[in-house]
Amino acid sequence: MNHSYEIEIKTLLGSKANAEKLKDVMRQKDSKLVHKSSHTQLNHYFSGGDLGKLSGALLPYLPADKVDQLEKIVNDVKDFSVRTRWADGRVIFVLKASIDDTTSSNGTARLEFENQMAGLSLEQLDQILLDSGFQYQAKWSRAREEYIYKDVAVSIDKNAGYGYLAEFELVAEDPDTADFMKESLRVMMTELGVVELPQDRLARMFDYYNNNWQDYYGTDKVFNIE
């Protein structure tokens, strides 16, 4: 069973003006820039729990090929992050696992499993995780614009708490190509005039939000953590 690996670098834009500037530069440098979609999301992060028990509870809602994929991840992965997502009416289960020395929650190279959970509401999917021993870590809300820039997926998000953030992503079939892809993304970001958000600062931001998410979820409020 083949897995896909998410190779992703983030940059903190902060303001709407900086987000618009990035879009302008992308248009200037790529005449074939594609605006794929704009949508809103709710993302619920979970901690603790029994991944094996959760896998068993999700099996009735998964197609056969996804069952095999999930079971292999459960058997092989140690550091993982699980979340549920509502994206313009679609309810999605997401599992991410780190394949480098960064975290499974925010890392630069992660194995990912994602499946739309037809027939379930976000609340029903959340309850399956809660019944498997997981607890809410935090709830996030954001508005996302998705682009294809020179064959790279670029997401520009307005996140509760973080403000504007952009993610540059490639998908690898071979984890051995992760480092090469990360460097390619960093070169591209330099050409666009944006800088990588350091992992240690991202971790501090993530921890702060997790401890204070009730103050930010569903709002336009923003904090600044150096």
Side-chain angles (χ1 to χ4, degrees), residues 175-186:
D176 291 338
T177 64
D179 287 341
F180 172 79
M181 286 187 171
K182 282 189 280 187
E183 287 310 307
S184 297
L185 292 177
R186 290 180 176 118

Side-chain angles (χ1 to χ4, degrees), residues 22-216:
L22 173 59
K23 286 186 279 186
D24 287 343
V25 176
M26 289 196 298
R27 293 187 190 101
Q28 293 168 14
K29 292 183 175 292
D30 182 5
S31 61
K32 297 181 180 179
L33 178 72
V34 175
H35 177 211
K36 286 185 62 182
S37 69
S38 296
H39 60 274
T40 58
Q41 291 186 3
L42 302 177
N43 288 280
H44 295 174
Y45 283 57
F46 292 80
S47 60
D50 183 330
L51 191 56
K53 183 177 181 180
L54 174 60
S55 173
L58 292 175
L59 294 187
Y61 304 97
L62 302 178
D65 61 324
K66 289 294 188 75
V67 169
D68 293 342
Q69 185 180 353
L70 180 59
E71 289 182 340
K72 187 175 191 312
I73 294 173
V74 170
N75 291 332
D76 294 347
V77 163
K78 295 181 180 179
D79 182 23
F80 65 90
S81 169
V82 294
R83 66 199 72 171
T84 60
R85 176 179 299 151
W86 179 94
D88 281 352
R90 295 178 299 119
V91 175
I92 301 165
F93 170 73
V94 181
L95 167 64
K96 300 197 178 189
S98 179
I99 62 168
D100 61 9
D101 58 0
T102 56
T103 69
S104 57
S105 296
N106 292 298
T108 55
R110 295 177 291 180
L111 184 154
E112 60 179 346
F113 174 91
E114 185 174 302
N115 189 74
Q116 184 172 340
M117 309 301 287
L120 290 177
S121 66
L122 181 63
E123 293 76 14
Q124 289 170 326
L125 180 55
D126 281 3
Q127 192 60 51
I128 291 174
L129 273 75
L130 295 171
D131 290 343
S132 299
F134 289 84
Q135 302 88 38
Y136 284 117
Q137 183 181 30
K139 296 183 179 182
W140 300 68
S141 54
R142 70 185 176 199
R144 164 165 285 191
E145 296 180 61
E146 296 181 320
Y147 296 87
I148 300 297
Y149 173 77
K150 296 184 178 180
D151 297 323
V152 170
V154 181
S155 299
I156 299 178
D157 297 336
K158 181 184 179 184
N159 286 286
Y162 285 13
Y164 284 87
L165 183 94
E167 302 174 349
F168 294 77
E169 179 184 329
L170 290 168
V171 176
E173 300 300 326
D174 181 355
D176 291 338
T177 64
D179 287 341
F180 172 79
M181 286 187 171
K182 282 189 280 187
E183 287 310 307
S184 297
L185 292 177
R186 290 180 176 118
V187 169
M188 174 177 286
M189 292 169 67
T190 298
E191 293 172 349
L192 290 169
V194 295
V195 297
E196 181 177 357
L197 177 58
Q199 285 290 304
D200 57 346
R201 186 182 181 193
L202 179 57
R204 290 191 294 274
M205 293 167 60
F206 189 67
D207 288 343
Y208 180 85
Y209 185 91
N210 286 341
N211 290 323
N212 299 276
W213 66 267
Q214 295 93 337
D215 295 332
Y216 295 94

